[in-house]
């Protein structure tokens, strides 16, 4: 038996220190790059430390540090939010984060396996394709919609998010992981110079094309058609207020006063928050009469959010005045909205290409895409957030607008008013809270052209599913293309 020298032991210790350090750095990058308020760019760097050490350690170690780095970052960022704020069952939150970590660890390991087998081109595609396939298939379950996507981490980078007009959020997630996968391949020890040239040139071409498309989209002339949108949240009690109570009537009067002020400044439509009131069929006129009166007199539309109950059936409604048309929220939050019934009908403001939706609905790309297909040029969205998710949830809504080429006017309580155009530019914003009255006013340009994503849907998501299946098949078959 050969006793290792002190130098050998020191080398091995240093090796494992490097591995542990890579996992810790990656976890920190995921913590601050993928969360409720992510820093743009960090998600592109987060996989890199693990990928750089992966070819130099075993497959088991690669899987472990990949899984661990994602798990640590996601737990710190989202566990309390999911379990405490959203009141999701512990098994649901654990499954979401745990399965994500398993998929991510597996995708990193697939990247390593293909790299060591000499299939460097497929290795670069493997990590983003497998992850995006998971994101996409998870979104199809409709439990969380497209909420659990790393695409939103770059919501502040306008040229980059224009890609969503072609691919939906899936193309953004793919690009975020493609960059570190390519960099790590270029740095791997066994990659030949010709391979580096091909991979580097291909990756550079993709990034140049993405940047060119993004800047071209942003440079297009703004549409002449526009609408003046007001977003309004008045101070109110923490609980949903019965419209016929003293507090409910007071809120209504203050809403009318604020609507008058916004109309004086040119507002053509005003959006109020989700669930601001509760109303039975018999008490709804207490709200409808004053809102109809001011809307008719000032020649504007008002969209109010409330819990509306008829015949014992309660829905999370958005009602447009003066017409009185009602939209019932399609997608309800499990646990928090179990007492409500989901709606299924589509609704626009009569005579206007402005579609109604409510908060969590905009976590579903398909819902906005269908409204765009029906001719909508703007989404009017009462919402209710949880303060800590003000940035993230509002940016999800903005990305929906970019995907389908529609403007978004979203008015939450406990969140952030956002009025954005079809390119994701924010024209007005304001933080809201139940203790204060806050409004925002913006002129939003409206485009009538549909995006590639609005026309062809999830073609890129299905492409990643197919590519992920090919990756798994190649690895399962085994064998080296070169030694």
């Amino acid at each position: 038996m050969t006793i290792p020298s002190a130098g050998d032991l020191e080398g091995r210790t240093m090796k494992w220190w490097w591995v542990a350090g890579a996992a810790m750095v990656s976890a920190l990058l995921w913590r601050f790059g993928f969360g409720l308020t992510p820093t743009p760019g960090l998600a592109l760097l987060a996989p890199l430390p693990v990928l750089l050490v992966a070819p130099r350690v075993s497959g088991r170690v690669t899987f472990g540090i990949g899984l661990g780095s994602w798990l640590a970052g996601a737990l710190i960022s989202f566990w309390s939010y999911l379990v405490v704020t959203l009141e999701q069952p512990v098994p649901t939150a654990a499954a979401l984060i745990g399965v994500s970590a398993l998929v991510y660890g597996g995708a990193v390991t697939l990247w390593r396996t293909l790299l060591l087998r000499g299939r460097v081109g497929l290795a670069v595609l493997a990590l983003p394709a497998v992850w995006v396939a998971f994101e996409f298939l998870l979104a199809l379950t409709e439990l969380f919609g497209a909420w659990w996507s790393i695409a939103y981490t770059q919501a502040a980078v306008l040229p980059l998010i224009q890609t969503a007009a072609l691919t939906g959020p899936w193309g953004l997630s793919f690009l975020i992981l493609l960059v570190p996968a390519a960099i790590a391949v270029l740095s791997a020890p066994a990659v030949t110079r010709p391979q580096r040239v091909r991979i580097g040139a291909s990756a550079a071409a993709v990034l140049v094309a993405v940047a060119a498309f993004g800047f071209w989209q942003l440079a297009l002339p703004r549409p002449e058609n526009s609408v003046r949108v007001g977003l309004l949240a008045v101070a109110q009690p923490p609980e949903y207020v019965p419209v016929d109570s003293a507090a409910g009537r007071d809120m209504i009067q203050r809403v009318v006063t604020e609507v008058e002020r916004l109309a004086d400044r040119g507002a053509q439509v005003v959006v109020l928050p989700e669930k601001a009131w509760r109303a039975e069929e018999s008490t709804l006129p207490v709200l409808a009469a004053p809102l109809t009166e001011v809307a008719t007199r000032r020649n504007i539309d008002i969209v109010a959010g409330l819990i509306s109950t008829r015949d014992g059936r309660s829905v999370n409604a958005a009602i447009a005045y003066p017409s009185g048309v009602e939209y019932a929220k399609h997608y309800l939050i499990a646990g928090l909205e179990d007492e409500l019934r989901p709606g299924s009908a589509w609704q626009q403001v009569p005579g206007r290409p402005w579609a109604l939706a409510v908060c969590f609905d905009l976590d579903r790309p398909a819902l906005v895409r269908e409204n765009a297909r029906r001719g909508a040029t703007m989404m009017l969205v009462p919402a209710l957030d949880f303060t800590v998710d003000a940035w993230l949830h509002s940016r999800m809504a903005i990305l929906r607008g970019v995907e389908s080429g529609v403007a978004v006017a979203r008015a939450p309580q406990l969140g952030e008013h956002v009025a954005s155009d079809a390119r994701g530019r924010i024209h007005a914003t304001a933080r809201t809270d139940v203790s204060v009255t806050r409004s925002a006013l913006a002129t939003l340009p409206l485009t009538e052209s549909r995006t590639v994503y609005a026309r062809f849907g999830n073609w890129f998501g299905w492409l990643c599913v197919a590519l992920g299946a090919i990756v798994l098949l190649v690895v399962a078959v085994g064998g080296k293309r070169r030694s």
Side-chain angles (χ1 to χ4, degrees):
M1 173 177 159
T2 304
I3 299 175
S5 67
D8 290 332
L9 288 174
E10 182 180 0
R12 293 180 187 178
T13 302
M14 290 297 293
K15 174 184 175 182
W16 287 104
W17 274 111
W18 277 108
V19 172
M24 291 174 61
V25 171
S26 185
L28 285 173
L29 289 169
W30 279 124
R31 161 63 183 88
F32 294 104
F34 176 51
L36 298 175
T37 54
T39 301
L42 291 188
L44 282 80
L45 299 175
L48 197 53
V50 169
L51 294 177
L52 290 175
V53 303
R56 300 164 174 85
V57 296
S58 70
R60 288 184 179 181
V61 172
T62 297
F63 177 76
I65 60 178
L67 181 150
S69 62
W70 172 270
L71 189 63
L75 280 173
I76 297 171
S77 294
F78 288 108
W79 181 260
S80 177
Y81 175 71
L82 290 169
V83 175
V84 179
T85 304
L86 295 185
E87 299 180 12
Q88 295 303 296
V90 169
T92 301
L96 177 62
I97 295 176
V99 172
S100 300
L102 288 169
V103 171
Y104 178 74
V108 170
T109 307
L110 288 172
W111 175 90
R112 172 193 177 275
T113 301
L114 291 165
L115 174 68
L116 296 182
R117 291 182 182 179
R119 299 182 179 273
V120 293
L122 197 57
V124 172
L125 298 175
L127 174 59
V130 170
W131 176 261
V132 171
F134 165 70
E135 268 191 14
F136 172 59
L137 294 175
L138 179 65
L140 293 183
T141 67
E142 295 193 347
L143 179 62
F144 294 98
W147 188 89
W148 194 245
S149 172
I150 61 175
Y152 310 112
T153 63
Q154 310 308 307
V157 187
L158 281 178
L160 180 59
I161 67 171
Q162 303 310 309
T163 305
L166 301 174
T167 65
W170 326 120
L172 288 173
S173 296
F174 190 92
L175 287 170
I176 289 167
L177 293 178
L178 179 71
V179 171
I183 293 174
V185 163
L186 295 175
S187 306
V191 178
T192 66
R193 181 179 178 83
Q195 289 175 323
R196 287 192 174 94
V197 171
R198 288 196 298 270
I199 295 299
S202 299
V206 170
L207 295 179
V208 168
V210 167
F213 177 75
F215 284 110
W216 174 72
Q217 282 278 92
L218 295 172
L220 289 174
R222 298 194 181 189
E224 294 182 1
N225 186 26
S226 64
V227 61
R228 192 82 164 149
V229 178
L231 307 174
L232 172 63
V234 299
Q236 66 174 84
E239 299 297 327
Y240 316 138
V241 184
V243 294
D244 58 340
S245 66
R249 293 176 186 274
D250 174 65
M251 278 179 61
I252 295 168
Q253 183 56 52
R254 286 186 287 115
V255 164
V256 169
T257 300
E258 294 298 326
V259 167
E260 295 270 19
R261 291 174 180 169
L262 289 169
D264 289 340
R265 297 168 61 192
Q268 297 168 267
V269 57
V270 176
V271 185
L272 306 174
E274 174 189 9
K275 298 178 182 174
W277 296 277
R278 283 185 178 273
E280 305 282 340
E281 188 172 8
S282 60
T283 61
L284 184 59
V286 175
L287 174 69
L291 294 191
T292 299
E293 190 280 329
V294 69
T296 302
R297 177 166 47 82
R298 299 308 300 264
N299 192 29
I300 64 173
D301 292 285
I302 302 170
V303 179
L306 66 151
I307 302 297
S308 176
T309 302
R310 288 187 175 90
D311 300 324
R313 181 180 184 271
S314 296
V315 299
N316 188 341
I319 303 180
Y321 295 103
S323 65
V325 298
E326 179 175 316
Y327 168 87
K329 185 179 182 182
H330 286 197
Y331 295 98
L332 303 173
I333 301 176
L336 291 179
E337 296 182 309
D338 288 347
E339 79 281 5
L340 303 176
R341 301 286 183 87
S344 58
W346 308 93
Q347 186 62 62
Q348 292 186 3
V349 175
R352 307 281 194 179
W354 306 340
L356 302 180
V358 178
C359 200
F360 198 42
D361 285 338
L362 261 64
D363 291 13
R364 270 74 181 179
L367 183 140
V368 179
R369 193 174 69 245
E370 177 61 21
N371 276 292
R373 191 188 68 80
R374 291 169 176 265
T377 58
M378 180 169 63
M379 302 296 301
L380 303 177
V381 189
L384 177 61
D385 293 331
F386 298 91
T387 304
V388 295
D389 61 354
W391 186 92
L392 179 61
H393 217 193
S394 62
R395 270 54 183 184
M396 289 183 186
I398 290 171
L399 193 61
R400 296 290 90 82
V402 176
E403 292 164 2
S404 294
V406 298
V408 174
R410 184 177 187 270
Q413 190 60 280
L414 296 172
E416 183 178 349
H417 286 325
V418 167
S420 62
D421 64 22
R423 303 287 182 260
R425 301 183 188 93
I426 298 175
H427 292 255
T429 182
R431 290 297 295 265
T432 63
D433 189 87
V434 293
S435 61
V436 295
T437 294
R438 290 272 167 76
S439 64
L441 188 65
T443 300
L444 290 180
L446 303 181
T447 177
E448 296 182 1
S449 61
R450 287 197 288 165
T451 63
V452 171
Y453 180 69
R455 290 176 181 274
F456 299 105
N458 293 315
W459 66 272
F460 192 82
W462 288 114
L463 179 63
C464 287
V465 171
L467 185 55
I470 291 171
V471 167
L472 293 173
L473 180 61
V474 169
V475 171
V477 170
K480 297 184 178 181
R481 202 173 71 182
R482 67 173 179 84
S483 62

